[in-house]
Amino acid sequence: MRIAVLVALCAAAAGCVSSAADNGASLSQQDPKWSSPECQQARAAASDYAQREKDHPGWGFGVLLGPYSMGMVAAVKEHEHQQRRLLARQMHLQCSSKPLPKELDFDPASYAPKKTHYP
C-alpha cells in the first residue's frame, strides 16, 4: 500500500510540469526566430501534444482498473513528462535566440529508448 501511495505522489509531481505550449507562450514574439517555419512547426507539435494529453483517460482510467494499474499510470505520466520536456526544449531551440534555460539544458539522448537484449 505504501508503494502505491509513493508511486502516485511521484506521478502527480511529474504531471505538474508546465506544458510545452505554455512554455512557447512565454517566449518573445519579437525574436527573429519566432516567425520561422521551424518555430511554427515546433509550436504546432507542442499544441497537438497538449491536446492529445487532454484527451486521454488519465487517472480516472487507472482508478477503474484497480490498484495494480497505478504502476502503469505512473509510467504513462513519466513518459508524458519526458515528452513535455523534449517538446519545450525543441521549441526553445527553434523559436528563441536566447540560451537554453537551466531546466531545459539536458541531453535529449537520455530520453531515447534503451536497446534491450533478449537471450
Side-chain angles (χ1 to χ4, degrees):
M1 179 67 176
R2 291 180 187 169
I3 293 173
V5 171
L6 181 62
V7 168
L9 288 174
C10 290
C16 292
V17 176
S18 63
S19 72
D22 293 341
N23 288 341
S26 67
L27 298 174
S28 172
Q29 294 181 6
Q30 306 303 323
D31 196 302
K33 284 184 160 184
W34 182 261
S35 59
S36 71
E38 293 85 9
C39 178
Q40 291 173 359
Q41 186 178 17
R43 287 185 305 199
S47 178
D48 290 345
Y49 185 78
Q51 186 59 42
R52 281 194 318 258
E53 203 173 45
K54 289 177 186 176
D55 291 341
H56 75 76
W59 284 104
F61 181 68
V63 171
L64 291 176
L65 292 177
Y68 299 106
S69 66
M70 294 304 286
M72 182 177 66
V73 171
V76 167
K77 289 293 182 185
E78 177 61 25
H79 178 73
E80 289 173 348
H81 167 70
Q82 292 174 355
Q83 290 301 311
R84 279 192 300 271
R85 284 191 75 201
L86 286 169
L87 283 169
R89 184 179 196 279
Q90 186 65 23
M91 185 181 307
H92 187 88
L93 289 172
Q94 298 297 328
C95 299
S96 178
S97 300
K98 294 181 181 179
L100 282 170
K102 185 177 142 186
E103 65 270 5
L104 297 178
D105 191 17
F106 61 90
D107 181 18
S110 63
Y111 289 151
K114 310 297 185 269
K115 288 194 173 195
T116 55
H117 300 285
Y118 296 104

